[in-house]
């Protein structure tokens, strides 16, 4: 096992100061970027809003990594976008640049040779280019319809080589562009959730019907006149901690929970029926209700389960333990 190096107090102080210096340089870069933002941002938004196709994002090296994130942010906030590696464009992927797209190209120097083929292709086919670069006079800047110019600031790298402040500014510009577009599109929290079905917000916006799927188990049930032993057996077999009590025509009349059974044991159960121990008019939801509504009902009423009812008949039972396991409840 490799022995862990333990730095001296002097070395620790030096490294701590250096880390703070890098953060300070990044802060100063972002402050300079904030001051530099001008009408070009609005022009870039206008170009994208006027185009029916995708925003194709591209960039080489570290700019490509930032571009990938920007494309993902755009796509999740209402602007259709995807990333394409510039070198791959030169080997057939230029076909992704349809006449209705916008190209968003990132390059700090603006002279990345891998960008030349896509930029020339865009010029030939009247596809607008939005540039993110420090050098508006570069090949990228000259071939862009709109240039989002980053201020010239020093990299945090002591050799001035490793992209640090420049990539942070590019990321911030991309986020700014995405958020302004989001505002212009009036993209709501509900829209955002629909793009994030695997996240907490998206899950909460699902309907109960979507949660149930195609194979929802019919909840355990007993008739009103079921004796106590039948009720206990039904709850045990249903394994949901509750059983539906039905009228003769199959409508939901009430619910018997584990708690109702415990309270019933304090009485003589010999002649008890489901109707005697059930809770009448139980809390229910319809299949088109949102899962957030279900969670609110369960927590507000301090209950563990409720029935999904359609046309007066229970079609499923929702148990809070299942929702917690699936991530619907924190």
């Amino acid at each position: 096992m490799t022995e862990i190096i333990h730095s001296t107090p002097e070395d620790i102080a030096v490294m701590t100061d250096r880390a703070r210096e890098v953060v300070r340089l990044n802060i100063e870069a972002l402050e300079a970027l904030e001051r530099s933002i001008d009408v070009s941002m609005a022009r870039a938004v206008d170009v994208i809003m006027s185009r029916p196709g995708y925003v194709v994002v591209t960039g080489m090296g570290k700019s490509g990594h930032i571009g990938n994130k920007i494309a993902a942010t755009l796509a999740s906030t209402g602007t259709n976008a995807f990333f394409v590696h510039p070198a791959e464009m030169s080997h057939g992927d230029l076909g992704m640049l349809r006449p209705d797209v916008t190209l968003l190209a990132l390059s700090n120097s603006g002279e990345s040779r891998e960008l030349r083929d896509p930029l020339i292709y865009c010029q030939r086919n009247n596809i607008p280019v939005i540039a993110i670069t420090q050098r508006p006079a570069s090949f990228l800047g000259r071939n862009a319809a709109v240039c989002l110019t980053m201020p010239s600031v020093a990299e945090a790298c002591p050799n001035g080589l490793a992209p640090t402040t420049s990539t942070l500014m590019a990321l911030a510009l991309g986020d700014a562009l995405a958020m302004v577009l989001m505002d212009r599109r009036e993209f709501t929290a509900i829209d955002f959730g629909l793009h994030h079905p695997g996240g907490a917000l998206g899950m909460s916006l699902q309907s109960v019907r979507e949660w149930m799927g195609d194979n929802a188990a019919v909840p355990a049930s007993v008739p009103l006149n079921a004796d106590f032993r039948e009720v206990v057996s039904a709850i045990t077999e249903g394994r949901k901690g509750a059983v539906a009590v039905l009228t003769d025509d199959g409508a939901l009349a009430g619910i018997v929970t584990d708690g109702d059974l415990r309270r019933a044991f304090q009485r003589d159960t010999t002649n008890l029926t489901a109707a005697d121990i059930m809770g009448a008019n139980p809390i229910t939801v319809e299949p088109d209700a949102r899962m957030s509504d279900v969670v609110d009902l369960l927590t507000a009423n301090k209950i563990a389960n409720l029935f999904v009812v359609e046309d007066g008949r229970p079609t499923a039972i929702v148990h809070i333990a299942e929702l917690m396991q699936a991530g619907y409840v924190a």
Side-chain angles (χ1 to χ4, degrees):
M1 181 176 179
T2 303
E3 184 178 355
I4 297 175
I5 297 174
H6 295 283
S7 299
T8 65
E10 293 77 12
D11 288 338
I12 292 173
V14 170
M15 289 186 285
T16 301
D17 288 343
R18 175 57 175 152
R20 288 173 177 162
E21 180 188 21
V22 172
V23 172
R24 185 175 66 255
L25 288 171
N26 278 322
I27 292 172
E28 292 172 356
L30 289 177
E31 289 174 341
L33 177 65
E34 180 186 14
R35 294 190 296 268
S36 73
I37 291 176
D38 56 19
V39 68
S40 298
M41 178 63 68
R43 290 173 178 165
V45 171
D46 287 343
V47 169
I48 293 172
M49 292 288 289
S50 66
R51 306 283 290 173
Y54 284 78
V55 173
V56 179
V57 186
T58 193
M60 190 68 194
K62 303 300 186 293
S63 292
H65 296 309
I66 297 299
N68 237 319
K69 190 273 179 188
I70 292 173
T73 299
L74 288 168
S76 68
T77 54
T79 299
N80 294 329
F82 60 89
F83 178 85
V84 183
H85 195 285
E88 299 295 339
M89 288 194 194
S90 298
H91 294 273
D93 286 358
L94 281 173
M96 296 182 180
L97 298 179
R98 303 184 315 185
D100 60 350
V101 307
T102 304
L103 182 68
L104 174 61
L106 289 75
S107 172
N108 188 42
S109 68
E111 299 292 350
S112 297
R113 64 181 182 275
E114 292 86 358
L115 288 177
R116 288 182 171 262
D117 287 342
L119 291 175
I120 292 170
Y121 182 87
C122 286
Q123 284 294 327
R124 289 174 178 170
N125 292 276
N126 296 316
I127 296 171
V129 176
I130 297 172
I132 293 181
T133 182
Q134 274 191 344
R135 300 177 182 176
S138 63
F139 187 80
L140 171 58
R142 295 195 309 272
N143 284 277
V146 180
C147 189
L148 300 177
T149 305
M150 299 182 295
S152 179
V153 297
E155 299 285 8
C157 170
N159 300 316
L161 299 174
T164 48
T165 53
S166 60
T167 50
L168 181 63
M169 288 191 297
L171 178 61
L173 265 182
D175 283 344
L177 178 62
M179 295 303 100
V180 176
L181 282 164
M182 187 177 179
D183 292 344
R184 295 288 288 174
R185 296 185 191 280
E186 299 181 349
F187 193 80
T188 66
I190 292 177
D191 296 324
F192 187 86
L194 293 175
H195 285 205
H196 296 73
L201 176 59
M203 292 170 66
S204 70
L205 294 173
Q206 283 183 336
S207 70
V208 176
R209 194 186 305 276
E210 290 169 333
W211 171 79
M212 289 164 51
D214 297 328
N215 300 305
V218 176
S221 62
V222 294
L224 282 163
N225 60 358
D227 62 34
F228 188 76
R229 182 176 296 179
E230 290 179 86
V231 176
V232 173
S233 177
I235 288 184
T236 302
E237 292 177 5
R239 303 178 67 181
K240 297 284 188 177
V243 64
V245 182
L246 307 180
T247 62
D248 291 340
D249 61 357
L252 181 65
I255 183 174
V256 178
T257 66
D258 286 335
D260 294 323
L261 288 184
R262 287 192 294 271
R263 287 184 288 273
F265 275 118
Q266 299 174 12
R267 305 153 57 185
D268 181 3
T269 62
T270 304
N271 298 313
L272 287 181
T273 65
D276 296 325
I277 59 176
M278 74 179 189
N281 302 314
I283 296 171
T284 63
V285 293
E286 295 184 349
D288 292 327
R290 295 195 184 279
M291 291 303 295
S292 57
D293 298 331
V294 174
V295 174
D296 290 344
L297 284 171
L298 291 171
T299 55
N301 292 280
K302 298 180 180 179
I303 55 178
N305 38 44
L306 54 74
F307 291 110
V308 182
V309 174
E310 193 165 14
D311 297 327
R313 290 170 168 75
T315 58
I317 184 170
V318 182
H319 196 287
I320 195 166
E322 295 175 329
L323 301 186
M324 292 177 66
Q325 186 176 12
Y328 289 92
V329 182

